[in-house]
Every structure is written in C-alpha cells, then in structure tokens.
Amino acid sequence: MAGVAAVVPCKDEADRIGATVAAVSALDVVTRVVVVDDGSSDGTTAAAEAAGADVVRHPVNRGKAAALRTGVARVRELEAAAGEAPAALLFVDGDLQETASALGVLTDAVLDGSADMTIATLPAQITAGGGRGLVVGLARRGIEHLTGFRAVQPLSGMRCLSPGAYEAASPLARGWGVETALTVDVLRAGLRVLEVPCELQHRVSGRDWRGQLHRAGQYRDVWLALVRRGWRPWQRG
Ligand SMILES: Nc1nc2c(ncn2[C@@H]2O[C@H](COP(=O)(O)OP(=O)(O)O)[C@@H](O)[C@H]2O)c(=O)[nH]1
Ligand SMILES: [Mg+2]
C-alpha cells in the first residue's frame, strides 16, 4: 500500500481545523490531507488551506457520509493524476487539534496487513458534556447483533481503512450512520476490524439544545443504517 491519505470531514471548524491538519500532515506515513468543508458558515476553508490541506467544499451541508465520499473521490483523483497506487485511508474528525498527532498508532496494523480497518478508542474527555449513551448503546447492540463484534466505541470517527475495506463498505450509509455501517459492512465482507486505544481529545457535544439535536440526528441515522442491514430492534432475540 502506498502510504496513507487522510480525509477530514468538517463543518464550522475554523478555530480547530488548522491545528488538526498540521498534526495529521506531520505523521510520517501520511502522504496527503484532504479536508471536506461541508457547507461551513465560518472560515473553515481558508484555515484548512492555510495549514496546507487540499480542500473540497460543499456549497451546502450534505452530512458526514457525503463529505467522506467526496474526500475519498478527491484522494483517488489526485492519486490517478500522479500515477500512484491507492493509499490506505485515514478518516479524521476536524476537531482533534494537536491530539491528532496520536493517530499514527491507527495506521500501523493496516499498513502491515494485520487489520483491514482500525478504529480509535478515546480516553475520558477533558471537556464536559456528552450524551447519556443512548446512541452509543443502540450502535453497539446493533453491530453485535449483526456481526457478533462487541465494539467499545462504535461511533468513533477516527478510522484507518485499506482500499479493499473502503470498497467493501461502499456505498457508505448516510449521515451519522456512517461509522456504524462501516463496521458492519467491513466485518460482513470477512475482513478484520481492530479497535486501538489512541490519546485523542475532541470537542464533545454539550447537553444544550444544539447537542440534543445533534444526538437526535445521530440516533435516526444509526437506527436507519442498522435497520437497512437487517436488524429488527423492535423484535426480541
Ligand atoms: N461533513 C460534516 N461534518 C460535520 C458536520 N457536523 C459536524 N461535523 C464534523 O464531524 C465531526 C464530529 O462532530 P462533533 O460536532 O464534534 O460531534 P461529536 O464528536 O459526536 O460530539 C467533527 O469533525 C465535525 O466538524 C456536518 O454537518 N457535516
Ligand atoms: Mg467532536
């Protein structure tokens, strides 16, 4: 595999994206960083470009899965133009800032072929907030029911995928269902998934109305992704 290409989907991260891009770019194995600005209303695009990322912008907000798809298409386009083989993919949330430098441990197992997809598990977060685990519980139960895999942090967005794992998970599930569906689809293709502890800190959604709205949207998308893959949570057993 020809190194690692990072894809950073984000919205309204002008204050954080520069530090995130700098930290990811500094990883030895990372050959390019593509930021997808998903209809931000702040200076996210300018900040990402100033930090040296290749930026693709959605004029209107289309959700995280669409942003990832746009980012991977851009990576493949750049590789084809340069005559390079497809790199492994590193999906990175835009709000990790300097802590994104800890992502190196995610790439090792994919590059040495011992896993097809790695998922970062995060330590306790310094910032306050967070939900009451409803969405996490839903995703964990659904993934376990469909695949037998018990995920510690089923919604973690930091993942490294081999080109084959990405193909197996395509087309990606919509919106916030993308992480849950990635795990189910990669496992169902007979590929290997590994959770790897990673010293990351991100902005945690709060308990205000904005945070609750975010979690309601997450719940809907995770539920849809699981039902579309055959889980019937309303039936027992
Ligand atoms: N593509 C895309 N990314 C988003 C959107 N909203 C948030 N994000 C990004 O998704 C990541 C996680 O979002 P965040 O608000 O931190 O949620 P939390 O970590 O689940 O509490 C961050 O990198 C955000 O910039 C969106 O509408 N579209
Ligand atoms: Mg966050």
Side-chain angles (χ1 to χ4, degrees):
M1 243 170 284
V4 176
V7 175
V8 189
C10 59
K11 178 166 184 290
D12 298 331
E13 296 286 6
D15 295 343
R16 299 181 179 82
I17 193 67
T20 305
V21 167
V24 173
S25 307
L27 295 171
D28 285 345
V29 290
V30 169
T31 52
R32 50 173 52 93
V33 180
V34 171
V35 168
V36 183
D37 177 352
D38 194 21
S40 295
S41 51
D42 65 4
T44 293
T45 288
E49 280 172 351
D54 187 272
V55 182
V56 189
R57 195 176 143 73
H58 288 169
V60 292
N61 183 250
R62 290 168 50 194
K64 195 177 190 187
L68 286 170
R69 215 173 319 128
T70 295
V72 175
R74 177 71 179 151
V75 165
R76 298 303 182 224
E77 189 183 298
L78 293 169
E79 287 169 348
E84 296 168 8
L89 299 164
L90 180 63
F91 294 164
V92 183
D93 284 356
D95 58 350
L96 298 172
Q97 299 177 269
E98 294 75 14
T99 71
S101 62
L103 285 168
V105 294
L106 265 195
T107 63
D108 296 344
V110 173
L111 291 176
D112 73 19
S114 54
D116 302 287
M117 178 169 74
T118 50
I119 305 169
T121 57
L122 281 62
Q125 298 294 293
I126 292 165
T127 54
R132 294 188 176 79
L134 269 185
V135 193
V136 170
L138 176 75
R140 189 181 288 131
R141 271 185 291 127
I143 292 169
E144 188 170 20
H145 182 88
L146 290 170
T147 67
F149 181 81
R150 190 160 176 84
V152 177
Q153 291 181 17
L155 301 179
S156 172
M158 278 54 73
R159 295 171 182 236
C160 184
L161 288 82
S162 67
Y166 183 76
E167 286 308 311
S170 297
L172 300 179
R174 59 157 283 185
W176 300 110
V178 65
E179 287 91 3
T180 304
L182 268 169
T183 303
V184 171
D185 293 348
V186 170
L187 286 166
R188 280 182 158 178
L191 301 176
R192 293 149 306 163
V193 173
L194 186 70
E195 287 187 308
V196 182
C198 223
E199 286 300 317
L200 303 168
Q201 293 285 332
H202 72 117
R203 180 204 50 236
V204 179
S205 295
R207 293 206 170 108
D208 57 357
W209 68 269
R210 221 178 253 281
Q212 301 296 359
L213 201 65
H214 173 61
R215 275 187 287 276
Q218 275 186 320
Y219 196 95
R220 174 200 60 208
D221 290 350
V222 167
W223 193 88
L224 280 172
L226 289 166
V227 168
R228 286 189 178 137
R229 281 161 183 75
W231 189 39
R232 298 289 172 262
W234 56 89
Q235 292 171 0
R236 290 187 169 272

